[in-house]
Amino acid sequence: MALFSAWVARLLPLLPRRLVWAVGRRYIAGTELEDALRSAEQFAARGIWSTLDVLGEFVTEWSHAQRYAEQAEAVLRAIAQRQLPAYLSVKLTALGIDIEPERSYGLLRYLVDQARQRGLFVRIDMENSPYTDITLAFYRRLRQEGYDNVGIVIQAYLRRSRDDVESLLPLRPAIRLCKGIYIEPPEIAYRSRDEVRRNYKELLEMLLRSGVHTAIATHDEELLRFAEEALRRYDVPKERYEFQMLLGVRPERRELLRQQGHPVRVYIPFGHHWYGYSLRRLRENPNIVAHILRALFRLDRQQ
Ligand SMILES: Cc1cc2nc3c(=O)[nH]c(=O)nc-3n(C[C@H](O)[C@H](O)[C@H](O)COP(=O)(O)OP(=O)(O)OC[C@H]3O[C@@H](n4cnc5c(N)ncnc54)[C@H](O)[C@@H]3O)c2cc1C
């Protein structure tokens, strides 16, 4: 079955967009900001914080980067107006890094500045490996300019991550630790599940020991249990960590963490550019075949 799922995952780009939307819908709040805000409000009522993410990446026209920045700014305004326990995540390829890096930094800086004026936080998502260096460089530059309302992401599948964490620690960074979602070559990335897990555990230990704010972003049961045990072992106070999960993934486990009293945040993507994000999520879904069959059945009945 696992092999069959892997085969189906490879065929995903061939599926009609309508089907991808039907199956990937659970991972996305909707196409509009209002959809994301409604979702964040519902989570807030249950004691869960949010990260709002305007879907979009790899833009090739400057006007699209500007449009993305405007939408991201609207998110900041709405979070502040509604006093939501939420922050913003952004992707540099959506802010035009491939078009004009310096202008892209300008947009990022503007958003972080707007967030600071409202007492909010911005996380720079980590994309595929061609962008690792520049993402870290932009993060350092913001910190040098005095912005401390900004955080970074470290991917446990990258072999370089240990060195990156070591060199970032003097800045007392706020780090989200995830496995990493992109397909990377074996020279730079661990490929096996065990290796990625081992590195995740080592990096998590480094972060918790050093006392920086750590966002534990995983749904992997083995890693969640390891994290719970490590948090107890290092007696980490609640202000220093949070668990983070993606909308639509393991909601029952998210709820359990909350009931146990852990700080929990859910990542809520929204927007019209849902296709690339949905494909990545579907590839990671172990029950992808069943979901596609169910969606096909639903679409068939709607026709
Ligand atoms: C809050 C947050 C932010 C992230 N930010 C980034 C980032 O900036 N850059 C980046 O490269 N990656 C990011 N990721 C993605 C991350 O790198 C992984 O790809 C993703 O979280 C799956 O890895 P996992 O640790 O959950 O382990 P997995 O082994 O993939 O999953 C563990 C279990 O979770 C369940 N599960 C996982 N995914 C799905 C799914 N799509 N549908 C249904 N069930 C599923 C399954 O039960 C699976 O067995 C982020 C993840 C989270 C939670």
Side-chain angles (χ1 to χ4, degrees):
M1 192 63 180
L3 266 180
F4 187 54
S5 291
W7 182 74
V8 171
R10 270 202 289 277
L11 293 182
L12 281 172
L14 302 178
L15 295 180
R17 281 176 80 90
R18 204 162 148 236
L19 184 60
V20 175
W21 170 254
V23 200
R25 185 69 184 80
R26 62 202 297 240
Y27 303 117
I28 291 162
T31 52
E32 308 307 321
L33 172 57
E34 203 47 52
D35 298 323
L37 295 172
R38 200 177 318 112
S39 182
E41 273 166 355
Q42 285 162 2
F43 280 114
R46 285 157 35 209
I48 294 178
W49 305 330
S50 317
T51 302
L52 299 192
D53 170 53
V54 185
L55 287 166
E57 55 197 333
F58 304 112
V59 304
T60 51
E61 284 176 40
W62 188 252
S63 61
H64 294 172
Q66 275 173 322
R67 176 80 193 110
Y68 177 88
E70 282 162 18
Q71 290 175 301
E73 192 182 353
V75 170
L76 291 172
R77 272 200 306 271
I79 292 174
Q81 269 163 12
R82 303 197 190 191
Q83 300 188 331
L84 286 170
Y87 66 66
L88 173 74
S89 257
V90 290
K91 288 189 174 53
L92 292 186
T93 65
L95 287 173
I97 191 88
D98 287 324
I99 307 168
E100 241 185 279
E102 202 44 39
R103 266 172 106 189
S104 178
Y105 179 76
L107 288 182
L108 175 67
R109 187 183 184 282
Y110 175 77
L111 289 172
V112 174
D113 193 70
Q114 289 296 308
R116 185 166 71 177
Q117 288 179 31
R118 297 173 168 91
L120 299 176
F121 182 85
V122 178
R123 177 87 58 181
I124 314 172
D125 283 353
M126 189 58 84
E127 299 178 75
N128 44 339
S129 55
Y131 303 100
T132 313
D133 279 334
I134 196 152
T135 306
L136 292 172
F138 277 14
Y139 171 73
R140 286 176 186 282
R141 200 168 150 191
L142 285 165
R143 294 296 308 278
Q144 272 158 14
E145 289 197 58
Y147 292 101
D148 52 13
N149 61 323
V150 59
I152 193 84
V153 177
I154 291 289
Q155 295 157 322
Y157 66 10
L158 288 188
R159 296 176 191 272
R160 59 177 285 171
S161 286
R162 191 186 178 87
D163 291 340
D164 287 336
V165 168
E166 260 164 18
S167 70
L168 285 167
L169 281 181
L171 293 175
R172 311 294 300 154
I175 290 187
R176 175 200 293 156
L177 181 62
C178 66
K179 283 185 182 174
I181 178 76
Y182 301 91
I183 298 163
E184 300 288 0
E187 305 82 70
I188 62 163
Y190 300 111
R191 296 290 276 273
S192 80
R193 172 172 276 240
D194 284 350
E195 281 178 315
V196 177
R197 274 183 175 154
R198 183 183 42 73
N199 204 37
Y200 193 106
K201 290 175 186 174
E202 283 176 18
L203 294 168
L204 183 60
E205 292 252 4
M206 275 171 84
L207 295 172
L208 296 183
R209 259 200 316 267
S210 66
V212 297
H213 190 276
T214 306
I216 305 160
T218 182
H219 320 89
D220 184 334
E221 193 54 36
E222 181 173 322
L223 294 181
L224 289 168
R225 290 194 184 173
F226 179 87
E228 288 172 302
E229 184 277 319
L231 289 167
R232 273 195 300 276
R233 187 157 29 93
Y234 292 114
D235 196 17
V236 183
K238 289 202 171 58
E239 316 77 70
R240 290 269 173 76
Y241 78 94
E242 60 191 46
F243 283 95
Q244 294 194 351
M245 291 197 176
L246 302 171
L247 185 69
V249 182
R250 299 206 67 195
E252 71 302 330
R253 189 57 165 106
R254 183 180 67 212
E255 189 55 27
L256 184 64
L257 287 166
R258 191 199 62 78
Q259 282 168 11
Q260 288 166 339
H262 293 292
V264 179
R265 188 181 297 273
V266 64
Y267 186 96
I268 304 180
F270 76 95
H272 291 269
H273 300 284
W274 47 266
Y275 185 73
Y277 181 86
S278 303
L279 281 193
R280 288 201 292 276
R281 293 283 78 83
L282 289 174
R283 274 197 207 106
E284 285 186 325
N285 188 328
N287 300 319
I288 183 175
V289 179
H291 285 301
I292 288 179
L293 289 176
R294 265 201 300 272
L296 272 173
F297 182 65
R298 277 198 308 269
L299 287 183
D300 189 45
R301 286 185 6 163
Q302 281 163 17
Q303 277 168 5

